[in-house]
């Protein structure tokens, strides 16, 4: 057992090695202030995964006892991970995955358990740092530890690793991980403000490309400092590397590749340039079968794993052709220029009974984004480990990726980590642009109907237009674009609007969303060892040009939007004298119940500040309810005078008389004694509901108007 203390920005982090979970390949306990996290690494060295992917799984688990709480819900035991836990696991996974050798093939599990946490802790940051430490000192032969920092912006100044309470005042949340000066992963979002007063200034706090580079340079310097401390302090605790004799077998055959190059290169190049994704996949499969048959005829004795070798060789030469076309010819598989965006089409509000709908199609990527508006009761309740009380999520983005979107014949299942991550990225991109977003509940659902490159950015574009199609006030439209990179030595090419082929065979997945003013959200994963600043800057500038092109088309579509007024819910928020709230409620709640039933609305009242919120599915009824409430709180003395004569309509007959609807919104009581002098007669013997009458105002008492009958009108 050993321990080290790392000091950074005036805070101490105590790392304890091999005291806990000693049967793991690596375990580190981190304590920082009142926060404690245990990271463990487990390797299944008896199994080899032959498929072409890294068998790494990251689990981030929050224990309720860490904050002195019981788990929420009926069952008082932790169950499946919440969204925050899943998204935190993704951040750790995406940062550590690039460190593993390409041919690493052993199932590996990284588990992070939050054992103690205070309300001001940045648990994601601590979790990534302790996971990196555990991986670095484990038996897995890795050379570098990953470090992470979070950058905030307070009053225009960038701040490194702000506490959560300080981050709440920040206009920026930038999470960056890397090794030394190489960046591996970026997550960024901006924060907007909420404005109640109409026409008041509102900003989504977009970050310009120049400001982004400044923030990233600050992050790089901090990561370099942490990386040097990591290596210096942790090196004595690195375990002797385990002997991993197995490596993922390389089925690529140089002989088969040479055969294809000599006799079928142009044919394969033509297949790669097929416009349809499904057609390309089908042709590649047929091409591999053809090569296999020809090889069997030429070399009948060569049968060992031939099908697998041919398939892998075809994929290898396909990758080589794609990258060479881009770097040497500045030409892409679908014929576009490097900076060119695929054709875009947009349809709005074509679903008749949805509050708002947008079909956004870019090339072979298609997102149907539907907006639904609701009230406070529709908000999603959630509780974070460090929160004192449950909170409400009033802006939701739910992203669904059904298998048929990529032509797969399998059933739709529960949302995956990827779907949660893509939905969260789109939410971060759009949320800052919503004005008065906390005054109504908004749910955006993105159904990916077709996918060939960056469906998350199609969700951002469609989602921004869906907000406009629902009549939501936003600072501006938000567009998103996915950028790619192909790099060989000193040569590199930045690609705009990448397709699936370029994502698979490229070196970077870089998504940027924002308005014309700047960036609201960004996500980057790099497959290389790191990324040079000049390459990142070029990608940002190229993304801005593409974003402005898409915004031009989106603005044209917004100008043609016709709101679904028939189904679009409405809400009115206004303020009255708090002392009048009791008049709106009425005796035993009778008045407010009548309002709700009569106008089919929901009414929320705030006794402290006099705020009244009326919402419903019909705009006219909401407006009528608002006017009715305003009339209730007015004194009848301000409207009527004793002795005035009015024409009204009998609204309701009761045992003691009749209520008459008067002009200007009040109902007056016409007592039975004022209707007939015959005590044997009842009001219903003389009047019926709907009769027009002429009445005189006899008395005014608070909100009551007493009437006398002048005559019954025909």
């Amino acid at each position: 057992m050993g321990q080290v203390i790392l000091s950074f920005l005036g805070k101490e982090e105590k790392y304890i090695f091999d005291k806990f979970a000693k049967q793991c390949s690596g375990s580190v306990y981190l304590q920082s202030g009142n926060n404690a996290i245990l990271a463990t690494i487990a390797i299944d060295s008896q199994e080899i995964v032959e498929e072409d992917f890294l068998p790494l799984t990251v689990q981030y688990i929050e224990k309720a006892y860490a904050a002195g709480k019981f788990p929420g819900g009926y069952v008082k035991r932790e169950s499946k991970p919440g969204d925050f836990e899943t998204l935190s696991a993704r951040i750790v996974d995406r940062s550590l995955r690039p460190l593993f050798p390409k041919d690493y093939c052993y199932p590996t599990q990284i588990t992070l358990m939050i054992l103690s946490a205070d309300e001001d802790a940045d648990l994601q940051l601590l979790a990534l740092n302790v996971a990196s430490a555990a991986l670095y000192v484990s038996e897995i032969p890795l050379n570098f530890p990953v470090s992470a920092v979070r950058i905030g912006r307070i009053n225009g100044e960038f701040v490194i690793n702000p506490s959560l309470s300080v981050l709440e005042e920040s206009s920026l949340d930038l999470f960056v991980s890397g090794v030394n000066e190489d960046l591996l992963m970026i997550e960024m979002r901006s924060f907007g403000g909420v404005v109640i007063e109409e026409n008041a200034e509102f900003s989504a706090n977009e970050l310009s490309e120049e400001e982004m580079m400044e923030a990233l340079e600050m992050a790089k310097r901090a990561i370099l400092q942490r990386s040097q401390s990591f290596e210096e302090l942790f090196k004595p605790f690195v375990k002797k590397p385990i002997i991993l004799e197995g490596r993922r077998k390389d089925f690529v055959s140089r002989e088969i590749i040479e055969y294809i190059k000599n006799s079928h290169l142009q044919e394969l190049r033509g297949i790669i340039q097929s416009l349809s994704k499904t057609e390309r996949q089908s042709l590649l499969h047929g091409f591999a079968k053809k090569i296999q048959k020809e090889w069997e005829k030429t070399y009948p004795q060569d049968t060992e794993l031939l099908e697998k070798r041919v398939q892998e060789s075809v994929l290898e030469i396909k990758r080589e052709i794609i990258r060479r076309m881009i770097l040497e010819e500045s030409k892409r598989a679908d014929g576009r220029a490097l900076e060119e965006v695929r054709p875009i089409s947009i349809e709005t509000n074509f679903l008749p009974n949805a509050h708002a709908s947008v079909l956004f199609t870019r090339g072979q990527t298609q997102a149907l984004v539907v907006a639904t508006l609701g009230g406070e009761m529709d908000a999603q309740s959630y509780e974070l480990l460090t929160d004192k009380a449950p909170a409400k999520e009033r802006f939701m983005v739910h992203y669904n990726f059904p298998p048929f979107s990529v032509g797969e014949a399998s059933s739709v299942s529960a949302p995956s980590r990827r779907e949660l991550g893509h939905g969260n990225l789109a939410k971060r991109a759009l949320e800052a642009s919503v004005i008065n977003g906390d005054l109504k509940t908004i749910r955006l659902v993105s159904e990916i109907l077709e996918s060939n490159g960056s469906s998350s950015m199609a969700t951002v574009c469609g989602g921004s237009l869906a907000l406009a199609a629902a009549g939501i006030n936003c600072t501006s439209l938000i567009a998103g674009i996915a950028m790619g990179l192909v790099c060989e030595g000193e040569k590199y090419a930045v690609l705009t609007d990448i397709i699936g082929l370029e994502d698979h065979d490229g070196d970077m997945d870089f998504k940027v969303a924002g308005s014309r003013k700047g960036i609201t959200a960004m996500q980057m994963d790099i497959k290389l060892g790191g990324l040079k600043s000049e390459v990142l800057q070029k990608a940002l500038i190229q993304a801005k040009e593409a974003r402005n092109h898409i915004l031009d088309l989106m603005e044209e579509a917004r100008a043609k939007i016709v709101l679904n007024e028939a189904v679009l819910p409405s809400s009115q928020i206004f303020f009255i004298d708090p002392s009048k709230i009791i008049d709106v409620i009425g005796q035993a709640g009778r008045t407010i119940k009548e309002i709700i039933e009569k106008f089919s609305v929901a009414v929320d009242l705030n006794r402290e500040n006099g705020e009244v919120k009326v919402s419903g599915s019909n705009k006219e009824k909401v407006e009528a309810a608002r006017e009715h409430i305003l009339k209730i709180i007015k004194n009848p003395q301000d409207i009527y005078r004793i002795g005035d004569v009015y024409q009204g309509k009998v609204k309701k007959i009761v045992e003691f008389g009749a209520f008459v609807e008067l002009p200007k919104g009040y109902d007056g009581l016409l007592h039975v004694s004022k209707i007939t002098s015959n005590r044997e007669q009842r009001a219903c013997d003389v009047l019926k509901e709907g009769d027009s009458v002429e009445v005189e105002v006899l008395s005014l008492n608070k909100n009551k108007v007493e009437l006398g009958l002048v005559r019954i009108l025909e």
Side-chain angles (χ1 to χ4, degrees):
M1 187 188 83
Q3 72 175 43
V4 298
I5 295 178
L6 187 151
S7 296
F8 186 69
L9 300 177
K11 294 183 180 179
E12 288 190 349
E13 299 173 8
K14 182 167 69 173
Y15 293 82
I16 301 176
F17 303 92
D18 295 326
K19 177 180 178 180
F20 305 90
K22 287 178 280 190
Q23 295 188 45
C24 294
S25 295
S27 70
V28 176
Y29 175 89
L30 166 63
Q31 185 165 341
S32 177
N34 293 327
N35 305 290
I37 305 177
L38 176 64
T40 61
I41 312 292
I43 306 170
D44 185 353
S45 58
Q46 304 303 311
E47 182 180 347
I48 294 178
V49 176
E50 293 291 356
E51 288 79 6
D52 186 19
F53 73 95
L54 175 67
L56 171 67
T57 305
V58 176
Q59 292 184 110
Y60 172 97
I61 303 168
E62 293 183 342
K63 297 295 184 179
Y65 57 70
K69 294 181 177 181
F70 281 85
Y74 181 75
V75 178
K76 297 305 176 184
R77 180 172 185 160
E78 290 88 355
S79 55
K80 68 176 186 177
D83 286 359
F84 180 80
E85 290 170 284
T86 300
L87 294 170
S88 299
R90 272 176 57 86
I91 284 178
V92 176
D93 186 302
R94 289 164 44 211
S95 298
L96 300 181
R97 191 169 286 268
L99 298 180
F100 284 79
K102 187 178 180 182
D103 56 356
Y104 184 85
C105 59
Y106 294 95
T108 301
Q109 183 91 40
I110 301 176
T111 303
L112 296 154
M113 294 177 62
I114 311 301
L115 304 178
S116 179
D118 65 37
E119 62 186 36
D120 217 17
D122 189 340
L123 295 177
Q124 288 181 334
L125 193 66
L126 294 173
L128 177 52
N129 287 331
V130 70
S132 174
L135 195 60
Y136 181 60
V137 301
S138 73
E139 298 170 325
I140 301 174
L142 302 179
N143 298 322
F144 305 105
V146 171
S147 293
V149 295
R150 194 185 296 274
I151 305 290
R153 197 180 197 190
I154 311 296
N155 298 323
E157 298 293 326
F158 293 120
V159 180
I160 300 177
N161 290 356
S163 63
L164 290 191
S165 58
V166 173
L167 193 63
E168 289 178 358
E169 306 299 321
S170 175
S171 61
L172 170 70
D173 180 7
L174 175 65
F175 191 99
V176 187
S177 65
V179 175
N180 295 322
E181 292 184 308
D182 294 330
L183 301 183
L184 297 176
M185 194 277 299
I186 300 172
E187 284 267 356
M188 171 263 173
R189 64 170 169 168
S190 66
F191 294 103
V194 176
V195 177
I196 303 297
E197 298 179 10
E198 198 173 344
N199 299 324
E201 185 178 354
F202 182 95
S203 170
N205 286 320
E206 297 96 332
L207 203 67
S208 71
E209 283 69 18
E210 294 75 19
E211 290 169 328
M212 175 61 75
M213 288 303 302
E214 181 184 347
L216 289 175
E217 288 300 322
M218 175 182 284
K220 285 175 70 173
R221 291 192 294 270
I223 288 171
L224 174 61
Q225 181 182 342
R226 282 192 64 95
S227 292
Q228 291 171 342
S229 298
F230 257 50
E231 289 192 59
E232 180 182 340
L233 294 172
F234 295 167
K235 207 153 196 175
F237 302 99
V238 175
K239 291 184 178 181
K240 183 179 179 181
I242 189 172
I243 304 300
L244 300 174
E245 296 179 351
R247 286 285 186 266
R248 184 178 295 110
K249 189 173 180 180
D250 185 3
F251 290 97
V252 174
S253 168
R254 303 316 306 177
E255 292 81 7
I256 294 175
I257 285 180
E258 286 303 315
Y259 174 75
I260 295 172
K261 285 183 176 181
N262 292 333
S263 57
H264 296 285
L265 186 60
Q266 291 307 314
E267 181 183 354
L268 180 56
R269 187 180 171 113
I271 291 172
I272 291 171
Q273 292 176 297
S274 302
L275 294 180
S276 168
K277 176 183 177 181
T278 53
E279 179 188 7
R280 184 188 304 117
Q281 290 174 332
S282 177
L283 290 174
L284 278 172
H285 179 73
F287 179 80
K289 289 290 186 185
K290 174 183 173 181
I291 296 299
Q292 182 179 344
K293 288 180 180 179
E294 292 181 3
W295 192 263
E296 286 173 339
K297 288 181 180 179
T298 308
Y299 304 99
Q301 74 282 1
D302 188 5
T303 58
E304 185 181 359
L305 298 172
L306 181 59
E307 181 179 359
K308 183 72 172 176
R309 286 163 52 211
V310 170
Q311 289 175 347
E312 293 296 319
S313 299
V314 169
L315 292 177
E316 177 65 22
I317 194 171
K318 178 207 71 169
R319 181 177 186 274
E320 185 181 322
I321 291 172
I322 290 170
R323 295 171 68 87
R324 185 173 294 174
M325 285 172 59
I326 291 169
L327 288 173
E328 297 180 3
E329 305 173 32
S330 296
K331 188 176 181 180
R332 300 165 72 172
D334 56 7
R336 284 182 293 149
L338 302 186
E339 301 87 2
E340 188 177 348
V341 178
R342 288 171 290 174
I344 291 173
S345 67
I346 302 169
E347 295 180 51
T348 59
N349 280 351
F350 61 94
L351 297 181
N353 215 35
H355 291 167
S357 56
V358 172
L359 185 67
F360 183 90
T361 307
R362 183 177 60 224
Q364 291 180 312
T365 296
Q366 186 177 70
L368 168 61
V369 187
V370 183
T372 307
L373 310 185
E376 185 173 354
M377 296 298 292
D378 298 303
Q380 173 69 60
S381 297
Y382 69 94
E383 184 175 2
L384 298 178
L385 180 65
T386 53
D387 284 348
K388 292 182 178 178
K392 293 281 190 179
E393 183 181 12
R394 290 186 172 85
F395 182 75
M396 295 167 270
V397 179
H398 295 152
Y399 168 101
N400 298 315
F401 193 88
F404 65 75
S405 65
V406 288
E408 293 181 0
S410 58
S411 59
V412 176
S413 58
S416 64
R417 284 189 174 194
R418 176 182 176 276
E419 287 171 291
L420 290 174
H422 280 18
N424 183 60
L425 173 59
K427 176 188 174 181
R428 290 188 288 113
L430 296 172
E431 190 171 26
S433 71
V434 178
I435 301 175
N436 295 344
D438 65 335
L439 302 181
K440 56 170 65 74
T441 299
I442 304 169
R443 181 183 184 230
L444 294 177
V445 179
S446 176
E447 310 286 4
I448 304 303
L449 306 182
E450 187 180 2
S451 178
N452 184 14
S454 193
S455 51
S456 63
M457 294 297 95
T459 296
V460 171
C461 298
S464 184
L465 284 169
L467 292 173
I472 301 297
N473 292 323
C474 294
T475 57
S476 58
L477 288 173
I478 304 295
I481 191 72
M483 310 297 292
L485 174 70
V486 174
C487 186
E488 297 285 352
E490 294 299 315
K491 294 182 69 174
Y492 70 89
V494 176
L495 309 178
T496 295
D497 185 21
I498 57 174
I499 60 176
L501 199 67
E502 295 162 341
D503 186 13
H504 183 270
D505 292 325
D507 300 317
M508 178 181 72
D509 183 13
F510 184 30
K511 300 180 178 76
V512 188
S515 67
R516 294 191 189 278
K517 293 181 181 179
I519 303 166
T520 57
M522 190 172 82
Q523 178 178 293
M524 185 198 80
D525 294 293
I526 190 74
K527 301 175 188 177
L528 301 170
L531 192 63
K532 294 180 179 179
S533 296
E534 64 179 83
V535 178
L536 183 56
Q537 188 168 15
K538 178 175 173 57
L540 285 171
I541 298 302
Q542 205 164 303
K544 180 180 180 180
E545 294 170 354
R547 194 167 71 239
N548 287 338
H549 164 72
I550 297 170
L551 285 169
D552 289 340
L553 302 177
M554 290 173 62
E555 286 166 0
E556 291 177 13
R558 181 176 61 179
K560 300 174 184 177
I561 289 175
V562 178
L563 297 180
N564 281 354
E565 296 282 7
V567 298
L568 201 60
S570 177
S571 64
Q572 292 274 354
I573 297 175
F574 54 98
F575 293 85
I576 63 175
D577 187 334
S579 65
K580 296 288 185 181
I581 291 288
I582 193 171
D583 295 331
V584 179
I585 296 173
Q587 186 176 3
R590 184 179 301 166
T591 303
I592 194 169
K593 287 178 183 176
E594 288 178 355
I595 296 170
I596 292 170
E597 291 175 5
K598 178 179 179 180
F599 299 102
S600 300
V601 295
V603 181
D604 295 316
L605 304 171
N606 189 320
R607 292 174 180 267
E608 294 182 2
N609 62 6
E611 181 187 84
V612 181
K613 181 179 180 181
V614 183
S615 56
S617 59
N618 186 289
K619 189 175 182 180
E620 293 180 359
K621 288 185 177 181
V622 169
E623 182 61 35
R626 176 180 180 274
E627 293 300 320
H628 185 77
I629 291 172
L630 291 176
K631 287 172 183 175
I632 287 175
I633 64 172
K634 289 180 180 177
N635 292 321
Q637 292 92 333
D638 300 332
I639 303 173
Y640 308 108
R641 295 182 183 278
I642 295 174
D644 287 350
V645 176
Y646 296 96
Q647 289 186 8
K649 185 176 289 187
V650 177
K651 188 176 179 181
K652 190 175 183 179
I653 302 290
V654 292
E655 186 177 345
F656 51 83
F659 285 102
V660 178
E661 186 177 353
L662 298 173
K664 303 179 183 177
Y666 269 89
D667 293 342
L669 174 62
L670 190 59
H671 195 268
V672 65
S673 62
K674 302 297 188 293
I675 298 173
T676 175
S677 58
N678 186 346
R679 293 191 176 187
E680 299 296 326
Q681 281 188 312
R682 297 173 299 174
C684 60
D685 296 330
V686 181
L687 297 173
K688 63 180 184 296
E689 291 182 6
D691 281 350
S692 295
V693 292
E694 191 170 81
V695 292
E696 179 185 359
V697 178
L698 300 180
S699 69
L700 298 167
N701 181 18
K702 291 186 178 180
N703 287 332
K704 295 181 181 179
V705 182
E706 294 186 8
L707 304 173
L709 179 64
V710 177
R711 62 191 177 109
I712 301 173
L713 302 174
E714 295 183 0

